[in-house]
Amino acid sequence: MEEIIIAYGEYNNGKLHPASLEILTPLYDIAERLGKKLVLLLLTEDFERAQSLPELKKALCHYVWIVSAPELKDYRDDLYSEVIIELSKREMPYGVFFPATFQGMSLAPRIAGALQVGLCAHVNDLKLEGDNLLMFRPTYGDNIIASLYSTTIPIMATLSLGAFVIKENPFSPQISKYEMPPEFKWQSKMKIRKSKPLIKEPSRLSVAKIVLAGGMGLKTKENLALLRELAKVLRAEVGVTRPLCHAGWAKEEEMIGVSGVSVRPKLYIGFGISGAIQHTLGMENSEFIIAVNTDKEAPLVKMAHLSLICDAGELIKSLLKQLSRESN
Amino acid sequence: MDKVIVCIKGVPKPGTVKVDPETHTLKRESAELILNPMDRSALEMAMRLKDKYNCEVVVITMGPPNAVPLLREAYSLGADKMILLSDRLFAGSDTLATSRVLARAISNLKPFSLVLMGLKSIDGETAQVPPETASLLGLPSVTNVKQISVEGEKVIVVRETDYSEEEIEVDLPAVLSVTPYLDYYRPPSFKRMLEARKLDPLILSAQDLALPEELLGLKGSPTQVHSVFEKKIMERGEIWEGSPEELAKRLIDLLKEKEIFKN
């Protein structure tokens, strides 16, 4: 018992969510060290199509299990969670982990509730200390990180998006169909009537080469608009801090940080960002960090490779002016 | 649609949070509590349902007695009943222990049609409590809902996932978490604000809810803090000072040098 670790493989419309491959990286290492097997679990209505996914052949896990049934065509929270609850009761995994995607964040709590086990959110690092699996996430206070553990099995967590780098498996995992018990009830209290694909571009933030990030030090929404203009000129992606999201200036998918997206670009420039840990944990792996801030003591200024001490909005205006002059 | 329950949470007002330097836990008693901004969406949705279906709206919060003003705020927006779940035994609850308390209190309010909550709280940000509570109640849950309407014994919701906007038919009762981005939020009614001042919520303790101590608070929480530590900041890098114009010029030169900007 407790011989396997399950990673949720989010499979939608013929595609595997890359975040599902990201979480395999730390989990494989933990499985190897504990002498357990890592299972990537996919739920789908089409076994044949799912098993021929090219990514699966290189997925960093020991096994790929595919649960396939016509009822799994649409993502329905109650049925999907019921499948994983039933499977967990039968297989008694040591851990069940999810990427912090929409699906992961809506499934994991249902499963944790049903199994009456602990669930950590937005974990951005995992470490074994003896037999104890420690899960790290920022907590209250300046630059403070908490390590958490779970007193219950399976250990459960949602892992921060972009926090881990995808690694390929030199060997191919064994792919098989997982059969649910015949008495399992494939029922749901939900029925998807219509589904309209979102027109928004999928966020390229996590793979961007240059990221321009804005914080409250931008002071006005207009300055954020100017930052977007600058990003176009530099072919960069724009990210924001949590307070800007909460102020309604930007949407959550642009939020850099542990509860948003982690980035690791060649160049990161933070405009008017003081550097709360929730944000810095999501950008600290950037190759070159520039901070623009009026406050010399701001944490981001301290951790940056280069800091420009001035008003962020004014600097953006000057940059735009000088760049437009150069291109003319 | 006769009864809609809204769960709200008091979160520390940003900037007033005091952290215990020893334990790094939040001193909740010292902080000024405000209504979790994302719960405004759940309340607004509930009031829209009340306008349309004339249903009763019951608002619940779990927290210390200083959360009462938040319930009154919900009343001034149109809530009919206020319930405060308060007990020292609830302190230190993780999302499972919190969901146990909410699920029991909600279950005692049967029959109800819907439970609404904000997508997540701006302090913990886990977004776990709505689906976890639904699971404990054996009910379906839908997250990030932007529209709600009722057709007989079913509720029709529109939710936004990572991929699409979906219209879903859900059996009642159900638990929904509401998107933080609604087009409109009604202001509180002045008349109800005055009324609320004289009203006290129904206060329920662990004993009132018949919940055993070992399932509550820190003790009943399976996620535990192992340690807290300060993350060391890297060494200070180079600092440039000057006027924005000067700094912009130097920065552009640097970007060119690094071949990030070419003209």
Side-chain angles (χ1 to χ4, degrees):
Chain A
M1 286 297 133
E2 293 165 25
E3 279 160 7
I4 57 162
I5 296 175
I6 294 176
Y8 178 63
E10 181 169 324
Y11 180 69
N12 181 73
N13 203 15
K15 280 187 194 135
L16 191 65
H17 197 297
S20 293
L21 296 170
E22 289 170 11
I23 70 171
L24 296 177
T25 303
L27 293 174
Y28 187 79
D29 182 49
I30 283 157
E32 287 278 288
R33 287 208 215 181
L34 291 173
K36 300 183 192 301
K37 302 291 179 200
L38 179 60
V39 175
L40 179 64
L41 177 68
L42 271 66
L43 276 58
T44 176
E45 90 279 17
D46 187 348
F47 174 76
E48 294 305 325
R49 189 172 178 207
Q51 73 151 356
S52 60
L53 265 182
E55 297 101 296
L56 292 184
K57 292 187 183 64
K58 292 175 190 165
L60 191 63
C61 58
H62 300 94
Y63 304 116
V64 176
W65 289 356
I66 301 172
V67 179
S68 179
E71 292 84 355
L72 296 173
K73 181 175 174 290
D74 297 313
Y75 172 67
R76 290 182 289 179
D77 314 44
D78 56 350
L79 179 59
Y80 268 57
S81 57
E82 218 42 65
V83 168
I84 302 174
I85 291 162
E86 179 63 32
L87 189 144
S88 298
K89 284 181 181 164
R90 283 175 24 133
E91 305 297 333
M92 310 277 274
Y94 167 78
V96 185
F97 297 91
F98 296 80
T101 54
F102 175 90
Q103 282 191 16
M105 287 169 68
S106 57
L107 271 179
R110 288 192 67 89
I111 297 162
L115 299 176
Q116 297 273 326
V117 299
L119 172 62
C120 290
H122 301 302
V123 168
N124 79 324
D125 202 6
L126 292 164
K127 274 194 188 96
L128 271 177
E129 201 183 85
D131 285 342
N132 208 2
L133 180 63
L134 298 181
M135 296 172 272
F136 295 77
R137 64 164 295 177
T139 188
Y140 309 108
D142 292 335
N143 239 20
I144 305 296
I145 296 188
S147 64
L148 306 160
Y149 64 98
S150 183
T151 60
T152 44
I153 298 281
I155 298 166
M156 287 187 67
T158 55
L159 308 186
S160 212
L161 299 181
F164 306 97
V165 178
I166 298 172
K167 282 191 189 150
E168 286 188 359
N169 193 347
F171 313 102
S172 282
Q174 202 186 88
I175 302 175
S176 60
K177 192 168 177 177
Y178 185 89
E179 298 292 348
M180 294 297 284
E183 66 274 16
F184 183 79
K185 291 191 180 68
W186 296 93
Q187 58 195 21
S188 170
K189 289 179 176 165
M190 300 167 68
K191 193 176 137 194
I192 314 292
R193 280 186 175 178
K194 272 185 227 162
S195 177
K196 188 172 77 186
L198 293 180
I199 353 164
K200 69 175 185 196
E201 291 265 309
S203 170
R204 287 190 304 258
L205 202 50
S206 61
V207 292
K209 294 273 180 285
I210 308 171
V211 169
L212 305 186
M216 284 310 261
L218 285 179
K219 293 182 197 154
T220 64
K221 219 174 165 173
E222 289 67 41
N223 282 340
L224 179 62
L226 292 177
L227 184 65
R228 292 187 192 285
E229 232 174 88
L230 181 64
K232 265 187 210 145
V233 180
L234 295 176
R235 295 204 185 93
E237 295 294 321
V238 170
V240 296
T241 59
R242 182 160 59 177
L244 280 202
C245 270
H246 289 169
W249 291 10
K251 287 220 165 182
E252 299 255 331
E253 53 262 34
E254 287 188 320
M255 180 163 76
I256 295 176
V258 174
S259 55
V261 183
S262 291
V263 298
R264 41 172 66 74
K266 286 194 177 311
L267 172 68
Y268 162 101
I269 310 181
F271 292 88
I273 294 178
S274 66
I277 191 161
Q278 123 78 23
H279 180 77
T280 55
L281 284 178
M283 48 63 70
E284 62 184 356
N285 293 323
S286 305
E287 252 176 60
F288 195 79
I289 299 168
I290 301 179
V292 181
N293 208 306
T294 49
D295 177 11
K296 256 190 194 177
E297 297 304 315
L300 190 68
V301 170
K302 288 185 180 169
M303 73 181 279
H305 301 96
L306 168 65
S307 296
L308 278 57
I309 306 302
C310 68
D311 180 81
E314 294 305 315
L315 183 77
I316 294 169
K317 283 173 201 156
S318 288
L319 284 169
L320 281 170
K321 207 184 284 174
Q322 296 186 30
L323 287 171
S324 73
R325 216 180 292 150
E326 298 220 2
S327 53
N328 285 339
Chain B
M1 175 78 39
D2 344 284
K3 194 190 288 170
V4 173
I5 299 167
V6 185
C7 298
I8 62 171
K9 184 184 183 188
V11 297
K13 186 176 177 179
T16 71
V17 188
K18 288 195 183 73
V19 179
D20 187 315
E22 292 296 308
T23 62
H24 296 288
T25 52
L26 199 65
K27 290 185 182 171
R28 279 194 186 265
E29 301 75 28
S30 69
E32 191 184 324
L33 287 185
I34 57 162
L35 176 66
N36 173 39
M38 300 205 184
D39 295 347
R40 278 298 302 269
S41 290
L43 286 166
E44 176 59 32
M45 276 295 194
M47 296 318 151
R48 290 182 192 181
L49 292 168
K50 185 179 173 177
D51 291 346
K52 210 162 157 190
Y53 305 105
N54 197 28
C55 48
E56 184 189 22
V57 175
V58 182
V59 58
I60 301 182
T61 192
M62 173 174 142
N66 62 346
V68 171
L70 311 177
L71 291 169
R72 295 205 175 107
E73 192 177 336
Y75 182 92
S76 69
L77 289 167
D80 300 289
K81 268 192 199 147
M82 307 180 277
I83 301 176
L84 174 67
L85 310 172
S86 197
D87 199 311
R88 290 208 160 271
L89 294 176
F90 298 160
S93 293
D94 68 0
T95 61
L96 179 63
T98 302
S99 300
R100 282 180 182 137
V101 176
L102 291 176
R104 179 60 60 85
I106 291 165
S107 183
N108 288 350
L109 290 169
K110 275 179 195 164
F112 58 86
S113 306
L114 278 178
V115 179
L116 303 181
M117 303 195 201
L119 179 68
K120 58 187 175 183
S121 67
I122 64 162
D123 56 348
E125 286 216 305
T126 71
Q128 286 170 190
V129 170
E132 206 158 9
T133 304
S135 171
L136 295 178
L137 288 163
L139 297 178
S141 53
V142 186
T143 54
N144 205 24
V145 167
K146 48 205 282 196
Q147 275 173 45
I148 307 172
S149 60
V150 180
E151 282 180 20
E153 281 309 295
K154 291 188 190 301
V155 64
I156 314 302
V157 303
V158 175
R159 75 167 169 196
E160 197 176 305
T161 73
D162 285 340
Y163 310 102
S164 55
E165 190 177 278
E166 298 177 333
E167 189 181 302
I168 314 171
E169 201 177 289
V170 190
D171 291 355
L172 291 174
V175 179
L176 311 176
S177 77
V178 183
T179 170
Y181 312 107
L182 291 182
D183 50 350
Y184 169 77
Y185 296 88
R186 71 197 57 205
S189 132
F190 189 60
K191 182 171 157 272
R192 292 188 68 93
M193 225 191 280
L194 293 177
E195 267 170 42
R197 281 196 199 165
K198 290 178 224 133
L199 295 173
D200 288 317
L202 172 66
I203 301 179
L204 298 174
S205 66
Q207 205 180 352
D208 296 328
L209 295 169
L211 285 163
E213 196 177 331
E214 62 270 21
L215 293 180
L216 304 172
L218 199 57
K219 207 195 279 180
S221 296
T223 53
Q224 295 280 332
V225 174
H226 175 267
S227 60
V228 276
F229 55 92
E230 194 173 343
K231 193 175 162 69
K232 286 191 192 79
I233 294 178
M234 280 187 292
E235 257 173 61
R236 190 186 284 260
E238 204 179 329
I239 298 252
W240 291 357
E241 289 176 89
S243 71
E245 292 74 27
E246 263 173 70
L247 294 180
K249 186 174 181 317
R250 285 179 73 182
L251 182 58
I252 291 167
D253 290 343
L254 179 79
L255 295 184
K256 279 184 193 162
E257 194 185 302
K258 285 190 171 283
E259 297 191 341
I260 278 164
F261 176 73
K262 293 168 207 154
N263 52 338

